[in-house]
Amino acid sequence: MEGRLPVTVTAAPAPWPWRARTLTLLALPPLLVGAAVLAVGTGAVGIAPGQVLSILLAPLGVPPLQTYEPQQAAVLWAIRLPRVVLGLLVGAGLGAAGAAMQGLFRNPLADPGLLGISSGASLAAAASVVLGFQAFGPYSLPLAAFTGALLATALISLLAQERGRVQVATMLLAGIAVNALCGAGTGLMTFLATDDQLRSLTFWNLGSLGGATWPTVLSALPPLAVGVLGLPLAARALNAFMLGETGAAHLGLPVQGVKWLIVSLVALGVGAGVAVAGTIGFVGLVVPHLLRLLTGPNHRTLLPASALLGATLLVLADLLSRTVVVPAELPLGIVTALLGAPFFLFLLRPGRQGAGL
């Protein structure tokens, strides 16, 4: 059942060069903080790092480290900070989801986009926009996207069922078919949209954090937090899956239940991310690859590291998207594709496969 598609079988977690792993894990948190400070301070209204800290600490009664203008504080709290926080959440969700899917399917090409989860979320979100679904206020779009992601996941799993067991290879093929089906549905919604809806759908499909507000952040926070914090709890199970489903079962793992749990957590995080930021590719594909080279295949470190690096990369990509063609804004999905595709091709060069790809 596991030999119908070329599947990369990775060895069980082995000791990895501690220096590269330790340096990487130590570097990721300050890198994330630095990217966030740089992003909130860069734009039409410049805010120095000292001013950023002063503005953030002001509500706690801390004396300002550096003087700042009220306009800078207003821009940071109302525009920059919700956008950066949303980028951190979505990037962390995509990075962790990509690492989990690659570990679950033992395939370096497996990511939520390939399995149709992102497409299902996109179709449901597009339908909610075109049909005017607003029953749950600001939570309507995230709820619709999560429902779409979950329905796509359930359909893929049902198609992959064989005598009560989910076949991983069949699930990949079903994901490709569902991907195409949901893409056609999204195209139909685009055809039916009004001019205003069409403009919104087009920019939303290309990916953007431009609509970030605090209500948007709060609507996406619960599902993204559950996904990002829940997936590392499945690290031991994902390590067991590296031995194959039979090996994992021999270790006492309830294989079918764990599969459903991991896929549901991925659907939760990806659905919420697609709802608030549109379709953003390559983060969930490239980030786990890069970190696997630096930290090894152990999911206990790979999953949290992927969340940290995914968040950092998405914040920096968003910073590029809103600064390279001022006063216009380049769609975020285009930036991640332009950065991620060449890097992924670099990783696929002959001789790199032995490093865990």
Side-chain angles (χ1 to χ4, degrees):
M1 65 180 178
E2 298 171 15
R4 297 178 187 174
L5 278 182
V7 175
T8 298
V9 179
T10 315
W16 204 257
W18 67 270
R19 182 172 298 177
R21 184 179 66 237
T22 304
L23 289 177
T24 301
L25 295 177
L26 289 176
L28 286 175
L31 190 62
L32 176 64
V33 173
V37 171
L38 178 66
V40 296
T42 304
V45 177
I47 309 174
Q51 293 174 318
V52 171
L53 291 177
S54 300
I55 295 171
L56 293 178
L57 294 175
L60 303 176
V62 177
L65 306 173
Q66 187 175 349
T67 57
Y68 57 86
E69 300 292 331
Q71 182 193 17
Q72 292 175 309
V75 168
L76 188 145
W77 284 113
I79 300 175
R80 303 263 180 86
L81 197 56
R83 182 165 184 154
V84 169
V85 172
L86 192 63
L88 293 175
L89 291 171
V90 174
L94 291 175
M101 297 303 282
Q102 291 173 16
L104 178 63
F105 294 110
R106 294 183 299 131
N107 192 308
L109 294 179
D111 78 337
L114 179 67
L115 293 178
I117 298 175
S118 297
S119 298
S122 296
L123 172 58
S128 73
V129 170
V130 174
L131 301 178
F133 175 68
Q134 293 293 334
F136 297 93
Y139 298 96
S140 300
L141 197 59
L143 185 62
F146 168 64
T147 304
L150 201 58
L151 287 176
T153 305
L155 177 60
I156 293 165
S157 299
L158 288 175
L159 291 172
Q161 288 275 350
E162 186 175 321
R163 287 177 289 186
R165 298 177 64 85
V166 175
Q167 307 301 319
V168 171
T170 309
M171 181 179 272
L172 283 172
L173 291 175
I176 293 172
V178 170
N179 223 339
L181 186 63
C182 291
T186 304
L188 178 62
M189 290 297 111
T190 304
F191 175 76
L192 296 175
T194 63
D195 288 345
D196 288 342
Q197 291 171 339
L198 183 60
R199 182 177 175 80
S200 299
L201 284 176
T202 300
F203 282 98
W204 173 75
N205 267 325
L206 292 173
S208 174
L209 296 174
T213 60
W214 285 117
T216 307
V217 173
L218 292 177
S219 69
L221 178 61
L224 283 168
V226 170
V228 172
L229 298 178
L231 284 172
L233 300 179
R236 180 178 170 275
L238 287 168
N239 285 341
F241 274 115
M242 293 165 69
L243 302 173
E245 291 186 26
T246 303
H250 286 164
L251 292 175
L253 190 73
V255 172
Q256 300 304 317
V258 171
K259 274 184 188 174
W260 272 106
L261 175 64
I262 294 173
V263 172
S264 297
L265 289 173
V266 169
L268 196 62
V270 172
V274 169
V276 295
T279 306
I280 299 172
F282 284 99
V283 175
L285 188 63
V286 172
V287 166
H289 277 304
L290 176 61
L291 286 171
R292 206 173 283 113
L293 294 172
L294 297 172
T295 68
N298 191 335
H299 289 86
R300 291 181 178 178
T301 54
L302 183 61
L303 282 165
S306 295
L308 290 173
L309 187 59
T312 305
L313 287 183
L314 199 64
V315 167
L316 293 177
D318 180 58
L319 176 60
L320 280 177
S321 77
R322 61 184 173 84
T323 55
V324 293
V325 289
V326 174
E329 185 172 309
L330 199 61
L332 183 55
I334 294 177
V335 176
T336 58
L338 287 175
L339 295 176
F343 184 71
F344 189 66
L345 291 173
F346 169 77
L347 291 178
L348 291 178
R349 288 186 313 161
R352 294 278 177 181
Q353 286 82 355
L357 293 176

